[in-house]
Amino acid sequence: METDTPSTPSLSEVHSSVEIPRQLTFWRRFFAFSGPAYLISVGYMDPGNWATDIAAGSKFGYRLLWVLVMSNLMAILLQSLSARLGIVTGMDLAQACRSMFSRRVSWALWILAEVAIAACDLAEVLGSAIGLQLLFGMPLLLAVFVTALDTFVLLLLHHRGVRLMEAFILTLVLTIGLCLAIEVFLSKPHWGQMAGGLVPSLPGEGALFLAIGILGATVMPHNLYLHSALVQSRRVQHTPAGIRSSIRFNTIDSFVALNAALLVNAALLVLAGATFFKAGMFNVAEIQDAHRLLEPLLGHRIAPIAFAVALIAAGQSSTITGTLAGQVVMEGFVHIRLRPLVRRLLTRALAIIPAVLTIVFFGERATGNLLLLSQVVLSLQLSFAVIPLIQIASDRRWMGQYVINRWMKLGGWLVAGVIAVLNLKLVFDQLTSWLTGAGPRTWMIGLTALPVIVGLVALLGYVIVVPFVERWRNQPVPELVGVHGPSVIPEIVPPRSPRLIAAALDFSWADKSVVSFAVTLARAAGRGAKVLLFHVVESGGALVMGGELRDSEAQADQERLELYTRELAELGVDAEYDLGFGDPPEELAKLVEEHKPDLIVLGSHGHRRMGDIVHGTSVERLRHRVRVPVMVIPAGEAKE
C-alpha cells in the first residue's frame, strides 16, 4: 500500500472557494452547502438514462419502476459516503485509492474509470446531437461535431467559479423537470399500475439487461469520484462541529438532489409506459422514434418540442460533470494534470470517435443500442468504485470518529453485493451466448474476451480482500485532514434528562446532600420523574444471610426508608425504596441492575464501609459493575 498524500488539493481551481459563514440559520446554511449534489444529479438524468428508461417503459410498461427506486436509494447512500470521504479525509476517492493500493492497481482502476467517463460522455454526445437533430433538423453527424463547442461553455463557467456553474446546472435541471412534467401530464398515466411497478420482478426476457442498464445509468461510477472532490469547494472549519455539520448538510443536499433526479427518470419511464407500451409499441428503444411518435400518440405539438429541449438540456448539463470527473480521476490516480481545455478536448474526442464510427458504418438507427451499451459499461465498472469507497468509509484508520455505523456498513456492502452479482450474471450470460454462437471460432473468444474477464474478476477480488487484510494488520494510512489532530475531540451530545434517579443512603449527615441532589434532578426533569432510595444493610448477619436477615438493624433501616419516602411524597416527589444486604458495592450494583435508574447519587462519607465507595477500590468496583452515571457528592457539598 502506498501512503503518499496528494501534493495538490482535488479540483484546486475551486477548492475551498465557497465561504460557509458561521452563525447562520438552518436554511441559510443549507443553501450555502447546496450545490455539489446538483452537479452530481445531472449525471443521473443524462441521455443514457433516457435510452434505458424509454426502452424499459416501452417494453415492460411500469413494471421496472422498482429498479429506478432501488437504484436511487443506492445512489443516495453511495453519494453520501462519497461526500463524507471528501469532507473527512481531505481527499477525493481517486486520491484515496491511489494511497490505498499499489501503483499498478491504481493505474488499472484509472483505466477503468476513464472507460466509464468515455462511455458517459458518449451518451452525452449522442443525446445532445440527437436533441439538436430533432429540434433543428440538423444532420446527426454534423450535430455530433457541434457538441464539441460546449467545451468553451464549460471553460467559461469553470473560470467564473463553482457557484455560477452550480446555478447554470440548476437552471438546466429545472428546464428538464418542467419539460418532462408537461410530457407526463399529456400522457395521462395509470396511477394504480404505476404503484404495481414498485413490486420487484423481472417480467420477461431482456428485463435483466435493461435493469442493469438502468442501474448503470443511475448509480454512475464517475459521480462517486467527483462528489468527493466537489464537497471540498466549501471552506469548512476542520473541527468536530464543523465536519459533522458539513456531513449533515451534504447528506441532505444529496437526498434532495437525487430524489429530483429520480422524478426525472421516473417521468421518462412513465411517459414511455403510458404512451408506447399502452399503444402496443414494445420495442421503442431509439430516442428518435420516441420523439417522432409523441405528437401522433399524445395529440399535442408541444410534446416533441418539450422532449427535444429537455434532451439537449440533459446532454449539456451532464457533459460538465463528465469533464470535471475526468480531471479528478486523472489527477488523483496517476498525478497527471492537464489544462482544462486539453482535458475537455481529450474527453470529447474519446466520445466523438465511437459515435462517428457508429453513424458512418451502422447508420443513425444504431445510436440507440450504443446508448444502451454505454450504460451497461458504466454498470460493469461500478464495483471498482463502490467497493473502495465502502472500504474507506468503514475503516476507522481513515475516518476516525466519522467512520460509518454498523447499519450503513451493512447497507453499503449489500449495495455492493447486488451490483457485483448482477454484473457477474450479465457477464456470464453474455459469455455463454458468445461461446454458444461462436462455433469453430470459439478459440477467438478464449484468446480475447476470456482473459479480460478473468483479469477484471481478479482485480475485483483484490480490491475486496487486500483492504481487509491491511486493516486486520493495522497498517498505517496517510495523515488525513479532519481525522487526526483536533478532530479527535469526542462529539458533544446533550444528555437525556434523568427520569429515574437513585440515591444511595447511609443514614449519616451526608444523606442531606444526596437526597437534595436527587430531588433537585427529579424536579428539573419534570413530571413523571421518580427518586429511588437505596440502602445496604452491611452487618455481619447481612453478609452471611443476605436478604433472609430480619434483625433489628435491618428492621430499623427499612422503617427509616419508609419515613423518607412518605416525607418526599408530602413534598410532591414520587419516591420508592429498596434494601440490599451484604457488600455495599455488590449490592448497589444489583439494585441498579434490577431497577435500571438513569443515574445514581452517592455521598462521599457514610457509616462503616459505605465510605469506601469514594475512598478506595469500592468506587471502581461499582463504576465497572453499572452502566449508568455515578454522581459522587463531595464532602464539602455534603456538609453545607
Side-chain angles (χ1 to χ4, degrees), residues 437-455:
R441 298 179 180 176
T442 303
W443 62 272
M444 294 180 62
I445 297 174
L447 290 179
T448 55
L450 193 59
V452 174
I453 293 172
V454 172

Side-chain angles (χ1 to χ4, degrees), residues 533 556-570 577:
L533 303 178
D557 289 348
Q558 181 172 340
E559 291 174 356
R560 197 161 185 178
L561 286 178
E562 291 175 351
L563 176 62
Y564 281 13
T565 302
R566 289 195 299 269
E567 290 179 350
L568 289 177
E570 291 178 4
Y577 73 91

Side-chain angles (χ1 to χ4, degrees), residues 239-250:
T239 63
I243 292 174
R244 286 195 301 273
S245 177
S246 183
I247 291 173
R248 180 170 66 254
F249 281 107
N250 276 286

Side-chain angles (χ1 to χ4, degrees), residues 40 43 46 79 113 116-117 120 124 220-227 318 321-323 325-326 329 378 381-382 385:
I40 295 301
D46 74 346
Q79 294 297 163
I117 292 170
C120 180
E124 292 151 6
M220 306 184 78
H222 71 278
N223 275 341
L224 300 177
Y225 296 110
L226 180 59
H227 201 179
S318 53
T321 61
T323 300
V329 299
L378 286 173
Q381 200 275 328
L382 191 54

Side-chain angles (χ1 to χ4, degrees), residues 387 390-391 394 408-418 464 468:
I387 289 175
I390 299 172
Q391 295 275 26
S394 58
M408 292 185 72
K409 291 179 187 178
L410 180 62
W413 283 113
L414 181 62
V415 169
V418 168
I464 293 174
F468 277 117

Side-chain angles (χ1 to χ4, degrees), residues 453-494:
I453 293 172
V454 172
L456 291 176
V457 172
L459 179 61
L460 184 62
Y462 182 92
V463 300
I464 293 174
V465 174
V466 169
F468 277 117
V469 174
E470 292 179 347
R471 189 185 313 175
W472 177 68
R473 293 177 177 176
N474 198 30
Q475 292 191 6
V477 299
E479 290 294 321
L480 304 171
V481 176
V483 176
H484 305 290
S487 294
V488 298
I489 299 173
E491 182 179 358
I492 300 173
V493 180

Side-chain angles (χ1 to χ4, degrees), residues 6 24 27 70 100 176 213 398 402 535 603 625 640:
L24 290 178
W27 289 109
M70 181 191 72
M100 175 183 284
I176 298 168
W398 286 84
Y402 311 102
H535 176 72
R625 286 289 306 274
E640 291 179 359

